[in-house]
Amino acid sequence: MDQLANCYHKGIGLPPNDKEALKLYAKAAQMNYLDSAGNLGVLYLTSDQTDLGRDLAARTQKALSLFRDGAKQNNAFCMYLYARCYELGSGVAANATEAEDWYRRAAEAGNRPAEEWCPRPTVVLGAPPTP
């Protein structure tokens, strides 16, 4: 369902149809496929073809809620999206500390974009190892 919803949302192999994508993402999310909850949140942020129409503030809050719920269930993708909300101030006040915390959690859970976001420790050649 999630992959088919992606095809509808992005117009891959068929005409774009965000209303159909919404149905499929929502159904998969209801079945506790949390990546679909994250994708559903992204759809709310990017499309006025949802049940919330052109109300960007309501769509942003819906997306934030989906990301938060998935993040609290330890879904790496939702943690990453939740971190982005804190970084960009989408639906919440921008908060670099919260963003970094959620990026690190997402990275530890295996989310590649979060892994790339997190700074790597600096290694000094020839220096004794730190305890």
Side-chain angles (χ1 to χ4, degrees), residues 9-92:
H9 178 56
K10 297 174 183 174
I12 300 171
L14 40 90
N17 185 335
D18 283 346
K19 289 184 180 193
E20 192 60 33
L22 177 79
K23 290 178 197 173
L24 291 167
Y25 284 141
K27 186 171 182 178
Q30 287 172 346
M31 296 170 69
N32 210 33
Y33 185 67
L34 296 175
D35 282 358
S36 269
N39 284 327
L40 181 58
V42 170
L43 182 68
Y44 273 107
L45 287 175
T46 61
S47 177
D48 60 9
Q49 298 298 307
T50 69
D51 55 324
L52 299 175
R54 294 182 184 269
D55 187 345
L56 182 57
R59 291 188 353 240
T60 300
Q61 286 305 308
K62 178 69 173 181
L64 181 67
S65 175
L66 289 162
F67 301 155
R68 181 186 319 108
D69 291 348
K72 289 184 177 185
Q73 293 181 60
N74 296 316
N75 178 269
F77 181 51
C78 289
M79 286 185 229
Y80 171 75
L81 294 168
Y82 196 45
R84 298 266 309 149
C85 289
Y86 274 110
E87 180 180 21
L88 302 173
S90 297
V92 294

Side-chain angles (χ1 to χ4, degrees), residues 82-129:
Y82 196 45
R84 298 266 309 149
C85 289
Y86 274 110
E87 180 180 21
L88 302 173
S90 297
V92 294
N95 183 323
T97 303
E98 274 299 309
E100 183 176 345
D101 180 51
W102 284 105
Y103 277 127
R104 289 195 186 287
R105 290 180 192 199
E108 289 169 5
N111 179 272
R112 183 161 311 262
E115 289 171 352
E116 292 170 3
W117 183 94
C118 288
R120 302 281 187 250
T122 305
V123 176
V124 178
L125 296 176

